[in-house]
Amino acid sequence: MRKKRASPDASDPQDPNAALLHEVLDCVPQGVIMFSGEGRMLYCNRRYRDTYGFSEEDLRPGITMESMLTMRNRTGVIGPEERKYCRRQLAAMRKGLVQSGFHPTPDGRTIHYINTPIPSGGWIVTHEDMTQQRQAEEQIEHMASHDALTDLPNRVSFQSHVEQALLLNSRGRMLAVMFLDLDNFKGINDTLGHQVGDELLKVVADRLRSCIRGTDMVARFGGDEFVIISSGFNSPARAAALATRIREAVLEPFDLADHRVSVDISIGISLSPNDGTDAEQLLKNADQALYCAKGSGRGTYRFFEGEMDVRTTERHNLELDLRAGFVNGEFEIHYQPLVNLESGKVSCCEALLRWNHPVRGSVPPDIFIPVAEEIGLITRLGEWVIRTVCAEAVKWPEQVAAAINVSPVQFRTQNVLQIVTHALASSGLPPGRLELEITEAILLDESESTLAVLRQLQALGVRIAMDDFGTGYSSLSYLRKFPFDKIKIDQCFIKDLSLGGAASAIVRAVTGIADSFHMVTTAEGVETEEQRVIVKALGCTEMQGHLFSKAIPPAEILALLTSMEVAPCSPPPDRPAPDRLGSDRLAVAMAWGRAGER
Ligand code: C2E
Ligand code: CA
Ligand code: CA
């Protein structure tokens, strides 16, 4: 008969098997404790004692679970609530049920336990300190639901927060979803660098947080897009007041790494239940309202309106068509001559972009250029214009220059200097036969890098013209910032010339200033003989307009130029520095600036 192997008695230190078992159990990473069927402790390992701060003295075999609980309560590793909970556990154990769970300790740890009944009666419990794992899990969970840069909740948390807020929002109250987007954030990022851009986003996040109540939420959706959920409004006016507060908070200048930065913000607002009853619809409508806010001049807020849907779809289609149009070669460039008023000869031709869409027909640049700028297509389109025009202009009589409109977006987002030098080199067009027309919007950012590029272009021999002079923020200060070669006086002044009065005084003032800077002046939009006579008398150097010719296709302009005599394109003369502008002239100019604003 086989001898029955004696099972080790864990509580007997004399038993060699028990000693081995102790050694083994002291090495396992869990706390192990064993109870008899009567609820007396038979054995516990070192990890168990360490977990709860007991000494070997404290936990002598035979101690009841009750007195252990009292001790654990006293040492502060178990609260009164858990005591009750442990008693329930005890009752369950007596019924022979396996149980497991987590219990948090008052000192902030999380312990995972498994109670397992022993077939011979009694039970064994393992305890494992899961605090670090728990913390790691919580951190991962936090990372999945928050934005790393600003630590704001992200799109995922937004979704669940809206759903909850909609449930909790009391009847008759509105919930507002606000879609926010910084104006010209890309410009700041491009000019001051990503580090400053990131800093800005962090401070904006703080300011947005400070505008909302504890029950509201601000989330970051990526880039410079933020979304706010605010509930409990009884009228749209309250939501409008919040939008105004947010804008005011953002408008305060930011001091970031030696830069004082000002930004504005556009806000689109949708309100439940009218504009949607779920997160997706409310967000979509707030986004559309934002789109319209951006379209209506930025730095403003707009509420969602039903018909925005249609307009957004139209606009979206236009964007798609525009991208496809570029790929399909639907663009062409027409040229409009600029005529020297003294000699009557063509000195330059301005390249004007045309888009012939198979269904829409001819779409005017005033419509598609702003869209191309917004969707970033202007960079590729603009580069194509520069290359095509240089290649075309080299065929013209050599006295005729080519003028190209360059968008501020191109200066911000691409290396205009490199593109121009490349186009000149590969076409063989001398730099002196190229003019770039820019608007003062380019100088609004006070970007030193843009000015540097303009200076480098000028150093190459390329001329820089200020376009649409008089239509913008006006304008004199910009003439001081950069030594333009030419000022193009906007057609709105020329239209009014025949009426006499303010317009002619303005044109006179501009030609006066231009003269002192040795700049060429072009009168834009000259349509009548009367206007031609007046602009010449007022001192303009050149005219451009339907009186002489509209913009015409490349073959026609080539035919026109080769059939007639042309004037040498005006080279930039030596000119005094802008600072030497006479104070009397400045006074006239200031008066003009004010007239221009009217
Ligand atoms: P802009 O630079 O001021 O160009 C002059 C505009 O005035 C052109 O309009 C031209 O056709 C129009 N125009 C010229 N003479 C007369 C006239 O006697 N009467 C009237 N009523 N209009 C006249 P267009 O071609 O529609 O271009 C509009 C604007 O689109 C341009 O204004 C320019 O800002 C922009 N644009 C055109 N091509 C380009 C381009 O290649 N790149 C960029 N960035 N902008 C462009
Ligand atoms: Ca122009
Ligand atoms: Ca113009």
Side-chain angles (χ1 to χ4, degrees):
M1 212 175 112
R2 244 168 64 194
K3 201 174 159 196
K4 197 180 165 205
R5 239 177 90 198
S7 63
D9 178 357
S11 57
D12 179 3
Q14 302 306 317
D15 182 339
N17 287 331
L20 181 67
L21 197 60
H22 278 219
E23 215 177 310
V24 172
L25 286 171
D26 275 345
C27 292
V28 297
Q30 288 96 354
V32 179
I33 187 161
M34 192 176 158
F35 291 97
S36 69
E38 293 76 46
R40 285 186 182 275
M41 198 271 276
L42 296 176
Y43 166 78
C44 76
N45 69 351
R46 186 184 306 144
R47 179 62 68 122
Y48 180 87
R49 288 192 297 273
D50 292 350
T51 303
Y52 293 106
F54 290 128
S55 67
E56 231 171 317
E57 288 297 299
D58 293 333
L59 296 184
R60 294 224 156 264
I63 184 173
T64 62
M65 188 176 187
E66 278 296 315
S67 37
M68 273 183 64
L69 287 178
T70 312
M71 251 196 296
R72 266 167 63 173
N73 199 190
R74 209 175 48 233
T75 52
V77 288
I78 180 168
E81 277 308 304
E82 288 152 66
R83 213 179 139 91
K84 271 189 235 153
Y85 172 71
C86 285
R87 287 213 182 94
R88 280 202 301 276
Q89 293 283 310
L90 194 58
M93 283 315 302
R94 290 200 165 118
K95 289 184 193 146
L97 303 170
V98 176
Q99 283 184 313
S100 67
F102 290 93
H103 79 80
T105 64
D107 61 358
R109 289 176 300 154
T110 304
I111 311 286
H112 182 241
Y113 64 88
I114 305 174
N115 294 349
T116 316
I118 305 170
S120 58
W123 66 93
I124 188 162
V125 193
T126 55
H127 292 244
E128 190 169 2
D129 189 336
M130 303 291 279
T131 314
Q132 273 185 346
Q133 283 100 313
R134 262 291 153 112
Q135 279 168 351
E137 276 166 26
E138 272 166 19
Q139 204 178 344
I140 291 168
E141 230 167 84
H142 184 88
M143 277 159 61
S145 60
H146 286 74
D147 159 52
L149 180 70
T150 59
D151 203 37
L152 286 177
N154 62 13
R155 200 182 270 266
V156 180
S157 327
F158 165 83
Q159 184 85 15
S160 55
H161 188 92
V162 176
E163 276 154 22
Q164 226 175 350
L166 282 168
L167 281 177
L168 296 175
N169 206 32
S170 7
R171 232 169 219 289
R173 296 269 161 170
M174 297 168 191
L175 176 136
V177 171
M178 299 187 171
F179 216 124
L180 299 86
D181 188 298
L182 296 181
D183 298 334
N184 192 25
F185 175 69
K186 193 167 174 353
I188 292 169
N189 234 358
D190 291 343
T191 48
L192 301 180
H194 291 273
Q195 237 169 334
V196 175
D198 282 357
E199 271 316 301
L200 176 66
L201 290 173
K202 281 200 240 177
V203 192
V204 167
D206 290 340
R207 293 205 187 159
L208 294 179
R209 272 194 202 99
S210 70
C211 290
I212 59 164
R213 297 165 308 168
T215 47
D216 296 346
M217 179 196 239
V218 50
R220 178 173 173 233
F221 273 27
D224 57 338
E225 284 182 357
F226 297 89
V227 178
I228 285 178
I229 311 163
S230 188
S231 50
F233 292 113
N234 52 10
S235 77
R238 303 293 293 272
L242 174 60
T244 306
R245 269 206 315 282
I246 290 170
R247 221 190 126 219
E248 281 166 3
V250 173
L251 274 174
E252 281 288 309
F254 297 86
D255 287 313
L256 307 165
D258 301 337
H259 296 282
R260 175 155 270 227
V261 181
S262 295
V263 281
D264 207 333
I265 195 159
S266 301
I267 307 174
I269 310 169
S270 66
L271 293 170
S272 84
N274 278 2
D275 305 334
T277 49
D278 61 64
E280 199 185 332
Q281 191 65 35
L282 284 166
L283 196 61
K284 184 170 160 257
N285 290 344
D287 191 19
Q288 273 181 19
L290 171 66
Y291 201 81
C292 294
K294 291 243 168 218
S296 61
R298 296 157 187 250
T300 180
Y301 66 83
R302 290 287 293 270
F303 282 97
F304 173 74
E305 295 161 18
E307 69 274 18
M308 282 176 177
D309 232 350
V310 181
R311 275 183 300 197
T312 313
T313 312
E314 270 171 18
R315 164 66 196 248
H316 183 66
N317 289 340
L318 183 63
E319 290 178 10
L320 292 178
D321 284 0
L322 202 50
R323 286 184 206 277
F326 182 61
V327 176
N328 299 338
E330 290 167 11
F331 289 93
E332 58 175 337
I333 299 165
H334 285 193
Y335 297 89
Q336 186 179 33
L338 277 68
V339 181
N340 184 296
L341 280 162
E342 204 54 57
S343 65
K345 294 174 190 169
V346 174
S347 53
C348 177
C349 292
E350 178 177 1
L352 293 162
L353 202 48
R354 298 290 175 255
W355 179 22
N356 304 309
H357 184 264
V359 179
R360 295 174 187 272
S362 162
V363 185
D366 289 331
I367 299 286
F368 71 80
I369 296 277
V371 181
E373 286 178 336
E374 221 158 286
I375 64 175
L377 183 71
I378 194 71
T379 48
R380 282 188 295 154
L381 193 56
E383 187 175 346
W384 174 79
V385 171
I386 294 171
R387 276 191 285 109
T388 313
V389 173
C390 288
E392 193 61 42
V394 82
K395 301 178 207 158
W396 302 341
E398 60 185 20
Q399 300 91 322
V400 182
I404 300 177
N405 294 285
V406 185
S407 149
V409 178
Q410 286 173 265
F411 275 92
R412 279 206 299 270
T413 57
Q414 62 185 167
N415 190 338
V416 175
L417 180 65
Q418 197 182 22
I419 291 166
V420 168
T421 38
H422 223 261
L424 289 172
S426 55
S427 63
L429 186 75
R433 288 183 57 197
L434 182 64
E435 267 177 34
L436 300 184
E437 297 191 3
I438 63 169
T439 57
E440 59 196 7
I442 234 167
L443 301 173
L444 276 182
D445 296 345
E446 309 213 355
S447 158
E448 206 29 62
S449 63
T450 300
L451 287 176
V453 172
L454 291 175
R455 282 190 208 106
Q456 281 166 302
L457 285 163
Q458 229 174 18
L460 280 180
V462 173
R463 289 193 297 276
I464 309 293
M466 175 173 271
D467 203 358
D468 303 340
F469 192 68
T471 54
Y473 300 78
S474 267
S475 291
L476 292 157
S477 56
Y478 297 117
L479 293 184
R480 290 169 162 276
K481 270 191 200 158
F482 185 77
F484 288 93
D485 299 285
K486 180 184 279 190
I487 302 180
K488 298 188 77 177
I489 304 168
D490 192 73
Q491 35 181 294
C492 64
F493 297 105
I494 311 304
K495 294 240 146 26
D496 290 348
L497 276 182
S498 43
L499 305 172
S504 59
I506 289 162
V507 174
R508 164 82 70 201
V510 178
T511 56
I513 296 163
D515 217 29
S516 63
F517 285 152
H518 299 263
M519 291 188 243
V520 172
T521 42
T522 307
E524 290 192 295
V526 175
E527 292 181 349
T528 65
E529 181 55 24
E530 188 193 0
Q531 287 166 346
R532 185 191 67 82
V533 171
I534 301 174
V535 295
K536 187 173 177 212
L538 291 173
C540 290
T541 331
E542 288 177 340
M543 68 158 194
Q544 174 180 5
H546 294 172
L547 175 67
F548 185 79
S549 169
K550 291 187 174 183
I552 50 178
E556 285 178 40
I557 199 81
L558 185 60
L560 178 84
L561 294 175
T562 41
S563 71
M564 63 189 296
E565 268 194 280
V566 286
C569 48
S570 8
D574 288 340
R575 69 161 73 83
D579 288 344
R580 282 199 265 142
L581 181 68
S583 57
D584 50 337
R585 283 246 163 75
L586 188 62
V588 177
M590 294 309 235
W592 166 77
R594 283 194 291 277
E597 280 162 24
R598 277 199 292 273

